[in-house]
Each structure stands twice: as structure tokens, then as C-alpha cells.
Amino acid sequence: MQNIIQRFSFDYDLETLKGDIFGGLTATVVGLPVALAFGVASGLGAIAGIYGAIAVGFFAAVFGGTKSQISGPTGPMAVAMAAVVTLAGPDNLGEAFGIVVLAGIIQILLGVLKIGRFVAYTPYSVISGFMSGIGVIIIILQILPFIGAEGVSGGPVGAIRAIPDAIQDINFGALAIAAATLAVGILWPEKLHRYFPSTLAALGIGTLLGVLWLTSAPVIGQVPSGLPSLHIPQISGDFLVKAVQPALIIALLGSIDSLLTSLIADSMTRTRHNANRELVGQGIGNTIAGFIGGLPGAGATLGTVVNLRAGGSTPVSGAIRAGILLTLVLGLGQYVQNIPLAALAGILLKVGWDIIDWRFITRIHRVQVEHLIVMVITMFLTVFLDLVTAVAIGLIAAGMATAKQLERLELDSVVSVPILDQVFFTGYKAAQSIDMFSARVGVIALRGSFTVSSSSRLITTISEDIREHEVVILDFTDTVFIDDSAALVVEQMIDVAITENTECILAGLGGVPETALRALNAIDKVPEEHIVDNLESAKIVALEMLGLETERES
């Protein structure tokens, strides 16, 4: 409760209220057609899109961590929910809504466990491939309603297979409506956007064409009005086993989608969102959406940007938007049922096109090959496999690409040099009697960070240097970080030294590197008297090992 109070404890005046009212109203006008379209595309129906916009929009605004964010149905969530509806079947929507409830609970847990901040570590190539894949899916799925054909199961692959047969039986009325709607969405003058958004104009023109002239085009059909009924999922062991995977998909998609939108809001407002609180708010919204038969949602980039540009700056704008939608729902059904499905297809085709990351694609010839491969793999798997697998494999591929780059950087930070004894022991009396060409001591300076990226190459590279000396000093003075893999490589270096009868000295060890090495017992084979504070102390130990005087020159 204290967090909620703090969330609304800002300087609020009449000017801020006016901005929030206008922002909420504008976001409603922009989001209404999209919510209807996503509801139909998901297989739950148009009203489910509105219910989802109300539930997620209100509770994410009140409990979330991004003050100016507008939440509701989005492309990724609609695509994921369409797969869930197909899996559950049209006669078992109660199970589908139960999955939505479970997804919301998972999101709340992700927020409570403070996992939200890790989304910021997702490489841009993975995000780009994922979002572009979502855009392609939306476009493919809308081709059939665009030409007046019925949707099919099987996702994008099923739609592609059905297109040749659908083309032979085109509904030209639907095609004309969809084309007109798409044209309005593309060509609507920019200066009119603020006063009358292109999505609403496209919906209006498409609906008028369908009602007045092209009446043969398929329409949404009867839509219930009034307050939603309560859907209580039947929880059982079998249900949980089947529901965990799709619920996890929806939860992860909603989390990624929302936090990416939060970053966009931050860049526009120069503020900083609370990622974990945002996940809790989104989770509460999706849980409620599941209970009232709504489409799950996330932070909506378009709605958020429109809200900010119209003056909305606090959670009040999101709450106002949800209130306006609730008012519309009470008497909206009779007006929505005559909207042509082709008009929604035209709107979604434009939405899908905008979701594709053209900023990345247009610079594809300048992108590093590794990042391009990651983007293409993620996009391909998103379209033709499933969303979570696409992101998971994309992250693995991105990690491997990053590791390759880190390997070079980390190995470049290693300095392994033989040093002439007379040079190394300058300032000590023993230097005067040493053979001028002898180099019995080698120093291996490990600078910066060392991780699994360079661990395999590190042992191969350094082992040869260790064999060439009677004494080897591992200098950790400038070492900042060592992970478990690199710590075990240090142990291997020590083992190589022991095998080759090379004495080993550790210098400058402390902080995180020492903690990592001692935690894994990696330096247990080195006597404590051979572990010294700095390189100067290491010289004295090396002199003793070589049987030389340790007295300094006067």
C-alpha cells in the first residue's frame, strides 16, 4: 500500500490533470480499433480485446512502475494467445483464460523476485529479430481476412498453405474494404494525427464501405455488451501440467514487451521506470484480464507515445483511458458487430508492418555478421517455430557471438613475457652475478576481466610460456573479475607449473578474483608464503627460489 501511495505522491495540479485527460482520451481513440482487431485476431473475439485493454490498462497504470505507460493488447500477446486458443479449442475457452491467469501470476512472481532488470540485458539483435518476426506473423495471418477468406488453424504455416485456395475465391468486396482501410492508414496526413488518429479514420471508412455498399464482406458479428462475466478456471494437476508452458510464454512476452516500452517512455520523459514494479502491475492486470475473459496485454508502444505527446504524464492518464473504455463497453456491442473483418485486417496489416524493425533492416549491410545471423535466426524461429524458443535460441546465439568478441578482448589483456634476470632483479645485489642472457623468471599479468569466453584459449596460450621458465609469477594486480571457468583455468596453470617443476608465485591477489579462486580451492596447491601482495614482494620470493641473495643494493 505504501508503494501505491508513493506512486501517486507527486505534484499534481490542474494543468497536469488536463494533460492526463487529453492523453487518456487520445490513447483511447488510438487504441480502440487496435484492441478490437487484436481481439478478433486472437480468436477470443472483439470484446475480449476491449476487456483486456480495460483490465491491463487500469491495473498496470495503478500498480506498475512506469508513470506514463499505456497498457493493453499488443501484437506479440495477440499472436501468443491465438496459439493458446488454437491449442485449447473454441469450445474450451475457460482453459485458455486460466492460462492467462497463470501467466499473470508468473509475471507478479518475476517482479517480486526482482528479475525485471535482467530484461535490459537482452541484445538488440534478439529484440529486433523477435519484433520483426511478430510483425511478419501478423501480416501473414491477416492475408486471409484481407481477401475475405476465413482464418485457419496452424499459425503462419497454416495460413500460407491456405492462401492459394483462398485466392481462387476472393471476396472482392472485402478486398476493396481492406485496401481502402490500409490506404487510409498509410496515407493519412501527419498533421491530422493529433486530432483524428489514422487507425480510427481507417476503421470508420472501412466500416462505412461495408455497411453502405460492400455488404457481402464478412463482419465481426454479434458482440456482447455490458460488464464482463467472471471466469473461474478449474485448477487441477493435469491443467497445470498443460498450462505452465503457454503461460510462461505469455508471461515472458508480456514482460519483454512492457519493459521495452518502458525504456521508450524513459527516453521521451527523461525519467527512469521501476522494472520489477512494472512486472507486478502488468501481472495483476493480466490476472484480472483472465478472470473477466479479456485478452492479455502489455505496455503498448503506440498508446504510450500518443499519451505522452498529448500531455499525459502520470498514471492517471492510463486509469482515465481504462474508464473511458469501460463506459464504451456498456453500449458498444450494437455498433461493433457490423465492422467488416477486412477493415480490421487492413489496420493490422499496417500495425504488423510498423512492428517490423525497419531501422535495423535498412542498415543490414553495415551490421556485424554475427549480429545479423542472430537477428535472422530469431526472426525465422519466431515465425515458423514458437516465440519462447526463438528468444531462447536467439539469446544463446547472441551469447556465443558476444563471447567470441570478449575472447579476443580478454586475451589481448594478458601480458606474458620472459624477462632477463638482470633486468627483472635490477636493484638487488644478485643481479650483478647473474648470467646476462638468462631469463629464468616469467611474468604473466592478467589484466581486466576473465570469463568463460577466453578460458579455453587462455590455458592453451599460457601453458607453453609456463614450461619455459623455472619460476612463473601470476600477477593479479590489475585483475578486476574472474568467473568460475577462468578460476579453474588458473588452477590448470598451477597444475602445469607443478608438472613441469616450475615454481609458481601469485602476486597482487585480492577482492573478487581472490574470492572466486579460494571459493573453488583453485590455489590450494600454492603455498601461502608464495602468495604475496605485490610484484616487488614476488621478486624476493623468486630470488629465494633461485638460491640468490635477497639483499637490495645500497
Side-chain angles (χ1 to χ4, degrees):
M1 179 62 70
Q2 185 178 359
N3 286 337
I4 299 174
I5 294 173
Q6 289 176 348
R7 186 162 162 69
F8 286 92
S9 61
F10 39 70
D11 294 332
Y12 204 84
D13 53 23
L14 184 59
E15 193 64 29
T16 307
L17 176 61
K18 285 169 59 180
D20 284 338
I21 292 174
F22 193 50
L25 181 61
T26 307
T28 303
V29 172
V30 170
L32 178 60
V34 178
L36 291 170
F38 281 141
V40 173
S42 71
L44 295 175
I47 197 66
I50 303 299
Y51 288 159
I54 294 170
V56 183
F58 179 79
F59 288 99
V62 173
F63 296 99
T66 313
K67 289 183 178 180
S68 53
Q69 182 150 290
I70 297 294
S71 301
T74 64
M77 298 299 269
V79 169
M81 200 59 199
V84 170
V85 172
T86 301
L87 185 67
D91 299 326
N92 195 16
L93 292 183
E95 186 173 299
F97 291 127
I99 291 173
V100 176
V101 172
L102 183 57
I105 294 172
I106 292 173
Q107 278 188 296
I108 294 172
L109 291 175
L110 291 177
V112 171
L113 296 174
K114 301 187 182 302
I115 295 176
R117 63 189 181 90
F118 292 109
V119 174
Y121 299 141
T122 306
Y124 186 80
S125 53
V126 175
I127 295 170
S128 177
F130 170 69
M131 296 307 295
S132 295
I134 291 293
V136 171
I137 289 175
I138 292 173
I139 290 172
I140 293 173
L141 294 180
Q142 295 310 307
I143 291 176
L144 292 177
F146 195 92
I147 58 178
E150 291 186 4
V152 295
S153 60
V157 175
I160 292 171
R161 289 174 178 168
I163 288 173
D165 292 334
I167 290 176
Q168 298 176 15
D169 192 25
I170 291 179
N171 184 320
F172 288 99
L175 179 60
I177 292 171
T181 305
L182 179 59
V184 172
I186 295 172
L187 301 175
W188 192 249
E190 185 67 31
K191 61 183 179 181
L192 296 180
H193 268 283
R194 183 171 181 178
Y195 306 101
F196 203 73
S198 60
T199 52
L200 192 61
L203 182 66
I205 290 173
T207 302
L208 286 175
L209 287 174
V211 171
L212 299 178
W213 293 290
L214 306 172
T215 56
S216 63
V219 298
I220 288 178
Q222 187 173 2
V223 176
S225 296
L227 296 174
S229 56
L230 196 62
H231 295 258
I232 305 297
Q234 299 296 319
I235 304 298
S236 65
D238 292 340
F239 168 77
L240 289 175
V241 170
K242 291 189 298 182
V244 166
Q245 183 179 3
L248 186 60
I249 290 173
I250 292 174
L252 292 177
L253 288 180
S255 301
I256 293 171
D257 209 3
S258 298
L259 295 181
L260 290 177
T261 302
S262 296
L263 290 174
I264 293 172
D266 286 352
S267 67
M268 294 181 67
T269 60
R270 297 182 179 179
T271 58
R272 188 171 181 177
H273 71 279
N274 184 317
N276 297 311
R277 186 184 298 172
E278 184 63 35
L279 291 189
V280 172
Q282 295 289 338
I284 294 172
N286 281 321
T287 302
I288 301 299
F291 278 126
I292 64 174
L295 181 66
T301 303
L302 178 62
T304 301
V305 171
V306 166
N307 175 49
L308 285 168
R309 287 179 176 172
S313 59
T314 77
V316 174
S317 59
I320 288 174
R321 171 180 173 272
I324 296 171
L325 286 173
L326 180 60
T327 303
L328 292 175
V329 161
L330 298 178
L332 191 64
Q334 57 182 323
Y335 304 107
V336 170
Q337 61 187 9
N338 292 321
I339 295 176
L341 294 174
L344 299 181
I347 292 172
L348 286 183
L349 215 64
K350 176 65 166 56
V351 170
W353 181 267
D354 290 339
I355 287 176
I356 294 174
D357 188 7
W358 295 109
R359 184 177 66 170
F360 187 93
I361 292 173
T362 54
R363 301 173 188 175
I364 212 164
H365 57 290
R366 299 177 182 173
V367 175
Q368 294 180 25
V369 175
E370 295 91 342
H371 297 164
L372 176 59
I373 292 173
V374 170
M375 186 269 186
V376 172
I377 289 174
T378 306
M379 183 172 70
F380 182 85
L381 293 177
T382 298
V383 175
F384 295 107
L385 194 56
D386 69 72
L387 307 178
V388 167
T389 303
V391 173
I393 294 179
L395 287 172
I396 293 171
M400 293 172 67
T402 303
K404 183 179 178 181
Q405 296 174 357
L406 287 176
E407 178 189 57
R408 187 186 74 253
L409 294 173
E410 291 177 7
L411 289 175
D412 287 346
S413 299
V414 177
V415 178
S416 178
V417 292
I419 304 175
L420 291 174
D421 290 348
Q422 281 192 344
V423 175
F424 186 66
F425 294 121
T426 298
Y428 291 89
K429 289 184 177 181
Q432 300 173 4
S433 58
I434 295 175
D435 183 351
M436 64 181 298
F437 296 109
S438 69
R440 290 175 288 177
V441 179
V443 177
I444 299 172
L446 301 167
R447 298 172 178 173
S449 298
F450 293 91
T451 65
V452 65
S453 303
S454 61
S455 57
S456 60
R457 287 280 302 278
L458 192 61
I459 185 62
T460 305
T461 304
I462 300 302
S463 293
E464 293 300 322
D465 294 343
I466 293 174
R467 294 186 179 99
E468 294 177 358
H469 303 293
E470 293 181 32
V471 178
V472 64
I473 300 172
L474 299 181
D475 184 9
F476 295 93
T477 303
D478 296 318
T479 308
V480 177
F481 174 78
I482 291 180
D483 72 358
D484 291 350
S485 298
L488 293 175
V489 167
V490 171
E491 183 180 35
Q492 285 182 271
M493 292 181 190
I494 295 169
D495 288 339
V496 169
I498 293 172
T499 302
E500 298 296 327
N501 294 318
T502 299
E503 296 287 355
C504 188
I505 303 171
L506 307 184
L509 191 59
V512 174
E514 182 176 15
T515 301
L517 291 169
R518 291 195 182 278
L520 294 172
N521 300 325
I523 57 176
D524 281 3
K525 296 174 185 176
V526 178
E528 283 297 325
E529 59 269 21
H530 294 176
I531 302 175
V532 296
D533 294 335
N534 50 53
L535 191 59
E536 197 61 39
S537 299
K539 290 181 180 180
I540 297 174
V541 176
L543 286 167
E544 293 174 349
M545 289 176 172
L546 296 173
L548 301 172
E549 288 185 69
T550 60
E551 188 178 348
R552 297 186 65 90
E553 291 179 343
S554 55

